């Protein structure tokens, strides 16, 4: 299982983004400020690579998932450091 976590600060307010991926069964879950979103995917690494737009507060963000299941959060095209 892959687990990643980011803190996004917007107008001095901290937002949390949590990501978990179980590549063998293709289960991806994203939690934004406590609200959970399941992303459908195929199993065994096939189909894990994807790009998903989402909002963190009023800020537009992009979740970029590689074929290995690791993810990055981009805001205005720049990656956010993991917490």
């Amino acid at each position: 299982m892959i687990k990643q976590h980011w803190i996004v600060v917007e107008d001095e307010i901290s937002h949390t983004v949590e990501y978990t991926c179980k590549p063998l069964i293709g289960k991806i879950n994203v939690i934004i400020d406590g609200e959970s979103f399941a992303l459908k995917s195929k199993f065994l690494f096939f189909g894990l690579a994807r790009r998903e737009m989402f909002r963190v507060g009023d800020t537009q963000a992009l979740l970029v998932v590689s074929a290995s299941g690791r993810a990055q959060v981009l805001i205005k095209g720049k990656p956010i450091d993991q917490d």
Side-chain angles (χ1 to χ4, degrees), residues 21-47:
C21 177
K22 295 180 182 177
L24 293 177
I25 60 172
K27 184 176 181 181
I28 296 174
N29 195 44
V30 179
I31 302 170
I32 303 166
D33 290 337
E35 189 172 351
S36 183
F37 303 92
L39 302 178
K40 292 183 180 180
S41 184
K42 297 179 183 174
F43 65 95
L44 294 175
F45 299 101
F46 298 108

Side-chain angles (χ1 to χ4, degrees), residues 4-9 15 17 54 56 59-62 71-83:
Q4 294 176 264
H5 185 263
W6 298 268
I7 301 290
V8 177
V9 179
H15 300 277
V17 178
F54 67 98
V56 179
T59 302
Q60 186 71 36
L62 179 66
Q72 277 189 312
V73 172
L74 304 176
I75 295 181
K76 296 181 183 175
K78 296 182 183 179
I80 301 298
D81 292 331
Q82 286 187 59
D83 185 39

